[in-house]
Amino acid sequence: MASSSSFVVLTALIALVASQAMASDPSPLQDFCVADKDSPVRVNGFPCKDAKDVSADDFFLAANLDKPMDTTKSKVGSNVTLINVMKLAGLNTLSISMARIDYAPKGQNPPHTHPRATEILTVVEGSLYVGFVTSNQENRLFTKTLNKGDVFVFPQGLIHFQFNPSYDKPAVAIAALSSQNPGAITIANAVFGSNPPISDDVLAKAFQVDKKAVDWLQAQFWENNHN
């Protein structure tokens, strides 16, 4: 009986470890698996392009990340240029992507989460006020002002933000993310700009405000600052 119980416990532990191992991008089982985006096969990620058809261009992208990006058309004053597997097929199965983020004076990358990735960010121009909030029940806020060359980490799935406090100088950051397709959920967009809209009864109760305030927020144009 004891042996049977031990087997059950061992099986449960193995299942737990396996589930944690599968929680992020799968580890590569070969040197590379360049995404075949034209394949009719549907998998979690992309199937592999035939290795004999792979070239150096599958691992290259002329991304112009050295050039400033336009922030003038953004209501939040930022422009996120994401390089993920959708733009660079060679990233498939490699559990990494990156982004250049441009901030106008007083611009921000508003509160958002990456459901599939931890992010590490470094400032290459200007300064940024950054932070993240822990999960319920504590909802603890961690913040820091970063200057050029400083680095900050945002744990996977937690709400975080970056804000340029300067009135007259832009800022630029480079971020690396631990997924080929990290995803981004901008909180305001998801809550007030969902399609179809979330019931104003739900949002009025959740935010403890009048329905008119909810209706006004839902009527705003909730833009995507990613490209």
Side-chain angles (χ1 to χ4, degrees):
M1 187 70 178
S3 176
S4 176
S5 298
S6 298
F7 177 78
V8 170
V9 171
L10 180 59
T11 302
L13 285 172
I14 291 172
L16 178 61
V17 171
S19 68
Q20 292 301 310
M22 294 296 288
S24 58
D25 290 6
S27 298
L29 299 176
Q30 53 205 32
D31 288 344
F32 53 78
C33 173
V34 173
D36 183 356
K37 298 175 186 176
D38 297 322
S39 173
V41 177
R42 294 292 175 261
V43 296
N44 184 22
F46 291 96
C48 301
K49 188 176 182 179
D50 193 322
K52 67 177 174 30
D53 297 326
V54 172
S55 72
D57 285 340
D58 290 308
F59 303 96
F60 170 79
L61 181 67
N64 294 320
L65 293 186
D66 59 321
K67 294 179 172 57
M69 302 298 175
D70 185 12
T71 59
T72 61
K73 297 177 182 178
S74 168
K75 283 189 174 182
V76 295
S78 66
N79 188 322
V80 179
T81 305
L82 177 65
I83 309 299
N84 63 4
V85 70
M86 303 304 296
K87 293 183 178 179
L88 185 55
L91 288 173
N92 194 39
T93 76
L94 298 184
S95 302
I96 194 168
S97 56
M98 69 176 298
R100 172 185 169 125
I101 312 163
D102 289 78
Y103 311 83
K106 289 295 179 180
Q108 65 172 291
N109 192 13
H112 63 283
T113 74
H114 300 295
R116 295 180 290 275
T118 292
E119 175 182 351
I120 183 167
L121 175 143
T122 184
V123 177
V124 296
E125 182 182 333
S127 63
L128 292 173
Y129 173 71
V130 306
F132 66 85
V133 181
T134 62
S135 55
N136 299 352
Q137 299 291 328
E138 196 173 25
N139 296 137
R140 186 177 174 189
L141 174 64
F142 291 83
T143 64
K144 197 75 175 174
T145 297
L146 307 182
N147 296 309
K148 184 176 180 179
D150 291 342
V151 172
F152 199 79
V153 173
F154 305 104
Q156 180 172 340
L158 297 188
I159 295 173
H160 60 283
F161 61 87
Q162 303 107 36
F163 171 70
N164 178 8
S166 175
Y167 284 94
D168 57 0
K169 295 179 181 178
V172 180
I174 296 291
L177 301 108
S178 62
S179 172
Q180 66 183 38
N181 186 23
I185 302 170
T186 304
I187 307 307
N189 298 36
V191 173
F192 297 109
S194 67
N195 184 21
I198 299 173
S199 166
D200 57 5
D201 288 314
V202 172
L203 296 181
K205 188 78 169 179
F207 287 91
Q208 298 293 292
V209 296
D210 188 89
K211 286 185 182 181
K212 290 182 179 179
V214 172
D215 293 340
W216 182 84
L217 286 166
Q218 289 181 322
Q220 305 309 301
F221 175 68
W222 296 102
E223 67 171 21
N224 180 7
N225 66 335
H226 289 61
N227 64 62

